[in-house]
Amino acid sequence: MIAVVDLGVSNVASVVRAFERVGGTVTVTTSGTDVDRAGAIVLPGVGAFRDGMQRLRDLGLVDAIRRAALEQAKPVAGICLGMQLLADVSEEHGRHEGLGLLPGTVERLVPDRPEYRVPNIGWCDLEVRRPSPVVPSDLDGRAAYFVHSFHLRCADPHDAVATIDYSGAPVVAAVERDNLLGVQFHPEKSQDVGLAVLDALLVTFTARATAA
Amino acid sequence: MTRPRLIPCLLLKHGVIVRSQLFKVHQVIGNPMSTVERFSHWNVDELVLLDISEDDVHDLRRDDLQQSYEGTSALDVLRAVAKVSYMPLSFGGRIRTLDDIAARLGAGADKVIVNTQALADPGFVTAAAERFGAQCIVVSLDARRRPDDTHEVFADHGRHATDWLAAEWAKEVERLGAGEILVTSIDRDGSAMGYDIDLVRSVTSAVSIPVIASGGVGRWEHLAPGVLEGGASSVAAANIFHFSELSYPLAKQACIDAGVPMRPVQLGSPWFPREPPYDRAAEDARIHARLARARDRLPLPARPQVVRWCTRCVYPGISAAPMEFDDDGVCMGCRMAEVKAAIPRSEWEHRLDLLKEVLERYRSRDRSTYDCVIPVSGGKDSWFQTHIIKNELGMNPLLVTYNGNNWTPVGWRNMLRMKEVFEVDHVLVSPSVDVLKKLNRLAFVVMGDMNWHAHVGITTGPVRVAVQHRVPLVIWGEHGYLDLCGQFSMDDFPEMSYRDRLEHFARGYEWTYFVGREGLRREQLNPWKYPSDQELFDLDVRGIYLGNYVWWEANDHTQLVVEKYGFEVNDEPFDRTYRRMSNLDDMHENGVHDYLKYVKFGYGRATDHACKDIRADLLIRDQAIDLVRRYDPVKPRDLARWLEYVGMDEAEFDRIADTFRDPRVWRREDAAWVRDEIA
């Protein structure tokens, strides 16, 4: 089972439909038991970091997700806010603890050129830094859809498998660290490129489930 | 780098997509689903849906389309759109409360667009941004240019002045917490004059959030200045995406060529095959249920009888053609006929020059192939087209005819004589008669129209032949819906498109639907397979309508081609219309096919013809009413031929046909079908 955690504010339905379009079957859930049982966990999300974490705490999912990632070593994939929640801490509207799975902090985008706007809304070219199961290398140079005012700064630069250029500096677009996977963009809204990313994720989920 | 987005805006009114002018005049383009599916094929950057309905009326006009959606509200449309689109989706219109926003996000929108409510209650923007995140709150700003060249913001579909200067309101909106601004020039809406760049620049320079420019795009070249001169992050347009084939990819290419670093054109999505894979089991069940309803003679669901007619011609509101009425109850077909009649001679001369420019651009320079393709049925309009294109304008056309095997003797002779009379080459696309019979039967049961093969064959064959011969220009006759129901404006110069073909000619049914039915195989359906988007893009295929460039009056064409070329007129009247000169290529088009239209919608070809003749001042409305009351209900004699052709008996035909009756038109009284009639 692939469990897609319903964070309430996020548009889970479009993530589910996108997985289905590439041939996957996923289960939307808010239950810790499902997270425990799942072969892979997807954490989608839009909205504020604090609200997202609060929601996970309210649902009692923080421990279940940490257990899945750390003890069970299951693939845990975050999308947009979901990826940021994997981090240690966020500076969005104050300072808030994340799931603490992926070393790094979430910081505000600060452009220094007028053509760069906040939120960063739109299509940015992916620069693939190293091969990973998240962004297949043939997507290097292809654009994905971003909507964000904050970005993840990885403590270990090796974790950043793809970046975009924002105001002259690289910003993390996708991460991989062991069984943790994540994308800052919205694959469910990135047309062919996004569907290719979800297709790759499905392959990874299946492969790791088989290996386990 | 964040790439500027090219955003099509769909205006949704009472459930259908409309074309808009000055925020006031609306013409129906069609069902939203067929357009949205095209946008998915083309990897569109983002889609904006604006619900401009005044109230909760919801009217899809026809219920027999394959590409449609469940439900009766704009939210239902949004849900259906979200199911087939994997692009960012913004939804605006009639948003008054936070719950309205929650409902739209829940139905699949990624962002909502607020306008009037933001002006009425600025705190609403802040509350919305706090609850849902700034990134999903777009404020739409409609502005009008004042005599002193400043821009004033208007509320409520451009109706009420607000005293806000555009730049000042934009700053305020950013301060309130909006994530993006959609700026529209009311003066330029539908004008095709390009963006009001001063307005766009005044807004983009006032704020640091992204700005989308909108309002006024009439040519692809109008888009790029929104970014390059106006400083917008994105450019949007509405009407123009409805006018031609591959509109979005061509618009994109024009922006890229002008130096705007957008995402490249991408066609042929591996995840969205253009020819849809139908849900075989669900479709089988639907067909089975219809046949069971026919067998058991189940009654129609009772629905309010809601037919209205144009106050000037005799066109009904529930119809096969997308029809819209203005505030005086006059249909858009009559309005466009007025516009057309008012076009001065000088404008027609200008249009002829435009046509010559197009012809010159596409003429075969090295004479290795033909200059253009003319799809011909062999009728009066075909002869007129060939007369103009070959003999008046000196082109070397290839004529292409779809042979649906239903000719009248006169129609057949006229068609075959064209190669002699005009000294041109002529290709006939003649499908296997066995396949034709199967398609006749299947389409009758599936969509209540046995002539699917003809409508799709006629709109496909010539384009296939054009691509095979590497001839990019296809010259059709008149745009039927512009003329009949004013679907477009005369300045739109609409061209043929796959969407038009699939929605209006094929009713949403591609050839793939028929594979495996009655044993039909893929390779037997070649005459109905449209060239791929990549082939169309690479060859730059265009299908223009001659009626947009030269004065088009069918009654005059007959006289011209009879006198000049010896066109043979039909001396046998049709059963279902008083006109004798139309549709000689297909005895069923004015017969069984048209009778089925009457069964569905309560009107037929006599109504179509009478409307055209009222608009041409050849009939007055009272005469027309007499004619349509006499002709529309007639059961035609060619039905006997068709029943024998496909092997069906008349009782079975009637039972199946009755399942297609529109309950908004028909009711059962004393064991007879009755409807409100025009009076």
Side-chain angles (χ1 to χ4, degrees), chain B residues 267-477:
Chain B
L267 300 169
S269 166
W271 310 101
F272 295 96
R274 190 185 63 180
E275 282 72 14
Y278 297 92
D279 181 340
R280 182 60 190 249
E283 292 303 315
D284 284 351
R286 207 166 58 87
I287 294 168
H288 183 78
R290 179 177 300 284
L291 291 174
R293 274 205 326 275
R295 188 189 60 228
D296 301 337
R297 294 176 168 280
L298 292 181
L300 291 179
R303 284 183 63 184
Q305 311 270 295
V306 291
V307 182
R308 61 186 287 203
W309 288 268
C310 174
T311 53
R312 188 168 298 174
C313 70
V314 291
Y315 220 85
I318 291 179
S319 59
M323 182 54 87
E324 183 75 351
F325 297 93
D326 68 10
D327 292 342
D328 297 324
V330 176
C331 79
M332 284 297 137
C334 285
R335 289 299 185 211
M336 285 308 122
E338 284 174 3
V339 171
K340 199 171 151 187
I343 292 176
R345 175 179 288 272
S346 59
E347 168 63 13
W348 286 115
E349 284 164 7
H350 170 62
R351 281 170 186 250
L352 191 60
D353 287 339
L354 290 177
L355 175 63
K356 287 175 183 167
E357 279 173 32
V358 174
L359 298 183
E360 275 316 307
R361 181 169 156 203
Y362 288 97
R363 192 189 288 275
S364 175
R365 298 259 172 275
D366 59 2
R367 303 188 192 176
S368 61
T369 185
Y370 301 93
D371 293 333
C372 62
V373 160
I374 308 180
V376 295
S377 66
K380 63 187 187 312
D381 296 336
S382 303
W383 286 49
F384 177 74
Q385 277 162 268
T386 313
H387 158 72
I388 295 284
I389 296 299
K390 166 118 198 310
N391 290 352
E392 297 278 314
L393 298 173
M395 297 283 276
N396 174 31
L398 172 64
L399 308 190
V400 180
T401 296
Y402 170 81
N403 174 11
N405 203 35
N406 295 334
W407 298 82
T408 67
V410 179
W412 181 250
R413 287 197 296 274
N414 278 332
M415 184 271 290
L416 287 182
R417 277 190 58 225
M418 292 190 79
K419 59 187 184 299
E420 287 172 48
V421 171
F422 293 102
E423 299 173 20
V424 288
D425 295 346
H426 191 169
V427 169
L428 260 62
V429 179
S430 301
S432 138
V433 171
D434 175 62
V435 171
L436 285 175
K437 286 180 182 177
K438 287 174 174 166
L439 287 174
N440 264 272
R441 264 194 305 267
L442 284 165
F444 169 60
V445 172
V446 168
M447 67 192 90
D449 177 13
M450 19 62 76
N451 256 0
W452 177 93
H453 77 91
H455 301 142
V456 177
I458 288 165
T459 48
T460 302
V463 186
R464 279 175 64 83
V465 171
V467 169
Q468 283 156 6
H469 287 267
R470 313 284 306 158
V471 180
L473 184 63
V474 181
I475 303 178
W476 303 88

Side-chain angles (χ1 to χ4, degrees), chain B residues 15-36:
Chain B
V16 289
I17 294 180
V18 296
R19 179 205 181 288
S20 159
Q21 194 142 2
L22 296 168
F23 278 37
K24 281 191 294 214
V25 181
H26 299 135
Q27 292 146 291
V28 176
I29 298 298
N31 188 292
M33 299 318 294
S34 44
T35 294
V36 171

Side-chain angles (χ1 to χ4, degrees), chain B residues 117-243:
Chain B
Q117 188 63 24
L119 287 159
D121 172 17
F124 179 67
V125 176
T126 308
E130 277 174 6
R131 177 157 159 204
F132 303 103
Q135 82 289 337
C136 75
I137 306 300
V138 183
V139 170
S140 160
L141 181 163
D142 298 332
R144 217 184 274 279
R145 187 183 280 260
R146 292 199 287 216
D148 65 354
D149 280 344
T150 59
H151 294 88
E152 182 179 1
V153 177
F154 276 68
D156 206 13
H157 294 284
R159 275 190 286 260
H160 300 117
T162 63
D163 282 340
W164 276 102
L165 277 176
E168 295 306 314
W169 177 237
K171 270 185 208 155
E172 176 66 4
V173 157
E174 179 177 32
R175 193 188 64 77
L176 291 166
E180 199 167 13
I181 294 174
L182 169 66
V183 55
T184 304
S185 160
I186 299 170
D187 316 288
R188 298 291 178 96
D189 177 55
S191 73
M193 292 165 63
Y195 294 126
D196 185 335
I197 293 293
D198 295 340
L199 169 64
V200 176
R201 200 183 306 107
S202 76
V203 172
T204 55
S205 56
V207 298
S208 66
I209 52 178
V211 174
I212 307 169
S214 144
V217 172
R219 296 202 311 265
W220 306 138
E221 298 78 48
H222 288 153
L223 291 161
V227 176
L228 301 176
E229 295 168 33
S233 305
S234 309
V235 284
N239 299 340
I240 193 170
F241 290 110
H242 304 310
F243 299 158

Side-chain angles (χ1 to χ4, degrees), chain B residues 559-572:
Chain B
Q559 197 184 346
L560 183 145
V561 297
V562 167
E563 289 173 4
K564 196 168 172 72
Y565 299 107
F567 179 80
E568 199 180 340
V569 290
N570 176 33
D571 46 15
E572 179 140 344

Side-chain angles (χ1 to χ4, degrees), chain A residues 107-183:
Chain A
E107 302 169 9
R108 189 170 174 81
L109 290 169
V110 185
D112 53 13
R113 302 179 191 172
E115 67 268 31
Y116 286 89
R117 308 244 157 179
V118 181
N120 177 37
I121 301 180
W123 296 81
C124 303
D125 293 355
L126 300 172
E127 291 171 39
V128 175
R129 297 279 164 149
R130 66 173 172 88
S132 77
V134 195
V135 181
S137 300
D138 61 351
L139 296 183
D140 186 45
R142 304 279 301 275
Y145 183 71
F146 288 77
V147 184
H148 61 137
S149 302
F150 291 79
H151 69 109
L152 172 65
R153 193 181 290 282
C154 291
D156 180 353
H158 185 73
D159 293 348
V161 295
T163 56
I164 56 169
D165 172 65
Y166 181 80
S167 194
V171 157
V172 169
V175 294
E176 183 205 17
R177 184 180 180 87
D178 303 326
N179 50 316
L180 296 173
L181 310 161
V183 288

Side-chain angles (χ1 to χ4, degrees), chain A residues 1 4 9 26 35 39 61 67 71 76 89 96 105 118 121 138 163 182 184 196 203 207 210:
Chain A
M1 178 177 71
V4 177
V9 288
V26 297
V35 170
L61 289 179
R67 201 161 45 238
E71 294 167 25
V76 176
V89 69
H96 306 283
T105 55
V118 181
I121 301 180
D138 61 351
T163 56
Q184 177 62 60
V203 170
T210 313

